[in-house]
């Protein structure tokens, strides 16, 4: 077998121009695939980091509370008991935080805007500081009551700066309107779509706005040691709370605000819990990842077809040029199987060398773009939740792409290799090229 491999390698070197042309095409497809995978994985990592800091945990224990059957609020009552139970029974948990949820009008002296209001204990969430870049003010001031963190776009729209007073107005669970005056403590850099409609206030300020008890919150965010266990933990928490006597809603993989219409139409009162994960809560954004992955698949398929046709044509030409050589090899005793394997080795070697070169090119491009901190257009930043392009190269995915493309080039060469092996020695030796 090693001798056949050497013959195949020698043949590639003999027909250098053809080898470079076809190998370059394979390298180009591999490099493109590595770059697209790096872009997709980078987007997913950026979205995961931003989303699981600003608006969701890996797994969430949320829900709705209804005083009357037609009026639901995104509230979880007596959350410390739930939190204690989860911490005790879920060893996969790394840490957990509570986060208030609300929808209100933010009013400045010049204008107003509808925003989602998050109640946060910023001292308990170090990840919050890592994701958000404060442009002015101090995030530490968010520990003080009646303060608010807003984003740059919101500050421009409301025409406010750090230290200005704005008013938050919202209806309470009992249907009465309530307001609270808050001071702008910090203005943070925009982080895509999430920063267009979200502001953050201390948890106690949010409870005062909605007139909630101290043991009430909007959701409990659960952060896991291993994100791959997300689905299992979600199912485990659902069963755990059901067994503990809580009423748990049927699984609905959508962000919580999409569920108000359904919940308000249902005839029940009291508390129902809703167990979701980060993909559910960010489903209105994660479609961009699916679209990019779909585009990657389509491009790869089309380019592989083009390369496949090229490989088949190249091998047809090679067989025609080397017909007498094949006849000689057959005449001195080389079996048909070994002739076929020789051509398969040639295609496999070409594929392996081409994909290796392409993977290295793709790796260099991904690392260079990531290191350059390339900015992205505002429209793109809304979806990837970052103002910079982030590419991540996964070694396993890269090796998988190399093996896949090499395997495809090898399989494509089966037909011409099989036909080459069927040549009769006498006919081949008398062939005039």
């Amino acid at each position: 077998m090693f001798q056949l491999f050497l013959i195949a390698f020698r043949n590639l070197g003999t027909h250098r121009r053809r080898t470079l042309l076809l190998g370059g095409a394979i390298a180009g497809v591999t490099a493109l695939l590595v770059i697209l995978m790096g872009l997709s994985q980078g987007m997913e990592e950026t979205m995961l980091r931003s989303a699981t800091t600003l608006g969701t945990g890996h797994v969430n224990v949320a829900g709705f509370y209804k005083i009357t059957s037609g009026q639901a609020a995104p509230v979880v009552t007596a959350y410390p008991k739930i939190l204690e139970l989860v911490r005790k029974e879920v060893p996969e948990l790394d840490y957990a935080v509570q986060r208030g949820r609300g929808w209100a009008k933010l009013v400045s002296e010049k204008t107003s805007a509808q925003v989602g209001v998050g109640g946060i204990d910023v001292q308990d969430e170090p990840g919050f500081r890592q994701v958000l870049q404060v442009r002015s003010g101090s995030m530490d001031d968010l520990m003080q009551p009646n303060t608010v963190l807003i984003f740059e776009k919101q500050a421009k729209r409301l025409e406010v700066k750090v230290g200005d007073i704005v008013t938050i107005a919202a209806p309470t669970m009992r249907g009465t309107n309530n307001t609270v005056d808050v001071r702008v403590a910090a203005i943070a850099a925009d982080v895509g779509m999430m920063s267009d409609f979200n502001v953050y206030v201390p948890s106690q300020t949010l409870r005062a706005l909605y007139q909630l008890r101290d043991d009430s919150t909007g959701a409990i965010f659960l952060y896991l040691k291993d994100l791959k266990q997300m689905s299992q933990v979600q199912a485990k928490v659902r069963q755990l709370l059901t067994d503990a006597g809580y009423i748990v809603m049927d699984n609905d993989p959508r962000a919580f605000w999409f569920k108000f219409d359904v919940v308000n139409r249902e005839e029940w009162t009291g508390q129902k819990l809703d167990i979701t994960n980060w993909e559910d809560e960010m489903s209105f954004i994660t479609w961009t990842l699916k679209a990019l992955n779909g585009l990657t698949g389509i491009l790869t398929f089309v380019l592989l077809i083009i390369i496949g046709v090229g490989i088949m044509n190249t091998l047809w030409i090679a067989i025609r040029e080397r017909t007498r050589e094949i006849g000689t090899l057959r005449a001195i005793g080389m079996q048909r199987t070994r002739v076929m394997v020789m051509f398969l080795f040639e295609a496999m070697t070409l594929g392996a060398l081409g994909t290796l070169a392409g993977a290295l090119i793709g790796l260099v491009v991904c690392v260079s773009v990531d290191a350059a901190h390339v900015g992205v257009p505002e429209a793109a930043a809304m979806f990837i939740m970052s103002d910079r392009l982030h590419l991540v190269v996964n070694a396993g995915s890269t090796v998988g792409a190399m093996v896949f493309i090499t395997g495809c080039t090898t399989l494509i060469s089966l037909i011409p290799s099989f036909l080459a092996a069927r040549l009769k020695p006498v006919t081949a030796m008398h062939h005039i090229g």
Side-chain angles (χ1 to χ4, degrees):
M1 284 296 179
F2 182 71
Q3 190 177 30
L4 291 177
F5 175 79
L6 289 178
I7 295 173
F9 193 78
R10 185 209 65 184
N11 288 333
L12 290 175
T14 302
H15 304 89
R16 192 173 294 108
R17 184 176 178 182
R18 184 196 307 153
T19 300
L20 289 175
L21 182 63
L22 198 55
I26 295 173
V29 171
T30 307
L32 180 62
L33 183 57
V34 169
I35 293 169
L36 287 173
M37 288 193 305
L39 179 61
S40 175
Q41 290 165 1
M43 285 178 57
E44 183 172 5
E45 185 177 287
T46 301
M47 290 173 62
L48 176 61
R49 183 176 65 251
S50 298
T52 54
T53 301
L54 300 180
T56 174
H58 295 154
V59 176
N60 308 298
V61 180
F64 297 90
Y65 191 88
K66 298 173 72 172
I67 293 179
T68 63
S69 60
Q71 186 71 32
V75 172
V76 176
T77 58
Y79 81 86
K81 293 182 180 179
I82 299 174
L83 187 54
E84 181 183 359
L85 178 63
V86 171
R87 282 173 171 164
K88 180 180 179 181
E89 300 294 336
V90 183
E92 300 89 348
L93 182 66
D94 186 14
Y95 67 96
V97 298
Q98 64 83 26
R99 187 76 67 83
R101 286 174 167 177
W103 185 256
K105 178 181 283 189
L106 188 62
V107 183
S108 69
E109 291 184 356
K110 300 293 182 65
T111 184
S112 65
Q114 293 289 336
V115 294
V117 185
I120 180 173
D121 296 322
V122 71
Q123 68 274 12
D124 297 332
E125 298 198 35
F128 201 75
R129 298 174 183 271
Q130 296 172 5
V131 170
L132 293 186
Q133 299 178 18
V134 175
R135 297 300 194 203
S136 60
S138 171
M139 196 174 293
D140 289 333
D141 289 347
L142 202 60
M143 299 181 191
Q144 301 174 14
N146 297 337
T147 53
V148 63
L149 179 147
I150 63 176
F151 294 90
E152 288 180 305
K153 278 186 184 178
Q154 297 167 342
K156 292 178 182 177
R157 190 187 315 150
L158 296 170
E159 300 182 44
V160 296
K161 61 184 183 300
V162 171
D164 289 348
I165 302 298
V166 294
T167 300
I168 304 177
T172 67
M173 289 175 59
R174 298 187 179 277
T176 60
N177 290 323
N178 194 26
T179 62
V180 59
D181 291 333
V182 293
R183 175 176 58 86
V184 178
I187 298 176
D190 295 324
V191 284
M193 187 180 294
M194 291 290 290
S195 59
D196 280 0
F197 54 83
N198 278 324
V199 300
Y200 297 91
V201 300
S203 294
Q204 199 56 44
T205 300
L206 187 70
R207 293 191 184 100
L209 174 65
Y210 285 100
Q211 299 177 350
L212 300 175
R213 298 190 310 183
D214 289 343
D215 65 349
S216 296
T217 190
I220 301 171
F221 293 172
L222 308 180
Y223 295 93
L224 310 180
K225 298 172 184 175
D226 184 0
L227 186 57
K228 295 178 181 178
Q229 297 179 314
M230 182 179 70
S231 297
Q232 298 94 309
V233 171
Q234 183 179 0
K236 183 176 184 177
V237 170
R238 174 180 293 276
Q239 189 61 49
L240 174 66
L241 294 176
T242 301
D243 293 344
Y246 292 95
I247 301 175
V248 179
M249 297 169 56
D250 293 335
N251 185 51
D252 184 355
R254 295 183 298 165
F256 77 94
W257 61 81
F258 288 125
K259 303 175 185 179
F260 275 99
D261 287 343
V262 175
V263 172
N264 284 332
R265 288 198 300 267
E266 295 175 347
E267 293 294 330
W268 55 269
T269 57
Q271 178 76 72
K272 278 192 177 183
L273 299 180
D274 186 23
I275 315 301
T276 62
N277 59 48
W278 84 270
E279 291 177 337
D280 299 336
E281 297 292 342
M282 295 293 116
S283 58
F284 63 100
I285 293 178
T286 52
W287 65 267
T288 55
L289 279 177
K290 296 176 182 177
L292 180 61
N293 290 335
L295 178 62
T296 300
I298 292 172
L299 283 175
T300 303
F301 179 72
V302 171
L303 291 172
L304 280 176
I305 289 177
I306 295 172
I307 285 181
V309 172
I311 289 174
M312 289 192 71
N313 285 337
T314 300
L315 287 177
W316 280 119
I317 295 170
I319 290 168
R320 184 174 179 82
E321 290 176 349
R322 293 157 57 190
T323 299
R324 298 189 68 181
E325 177 189 339
I326 294 170
T328 302
L329 292 173
R330 292 280 288 116
I332 62 176
M334 182 177 281
Q335 298 297 316
R336 288 180 174 177
T337 304
R338 292 176 68 82
V339 173
M340 184 174 73
V341 170
M342 181 181 69
F343 280 94
L344 287 176
F345 273 174
E346 193 170 320
M348 184 177 69
T349 303
L350 180 62
L353 293 176
T355 54
L356 178 60
L360 290 175
I361 294 170
L363 175 62
V364 170
V365 171
C366 289
V367 172
S368 300
V369 170
D370 195 58
H373 301 294
V374 177
V376 298
E378 187 175 311
M382 287 183 61
F383 295 103
I384 67 173
M385 302 170 73
S386 174
D387 59 352
R388 298 184 185 277
L389 196 59
H390 180 47
L391 279 72
V392 175
V393 178
N394 182 280
S397 299
T398 302
V399 172
M402 292 172 61
V403 171
F404 174 72
I405 295 177
T406 301
C408 287
T409 58
T410 305
L411 289 174
I412 289 167
S413 67
L414 270 174
I415 296 176
S417 300
F418 177 74
L419 293 177
R422 293 191 61 187
L423 287 173
K424 295 180 180 180
V426 176
T427 305
M429 292 180 67
H430 284 84
H431 176 78
I432 300 176

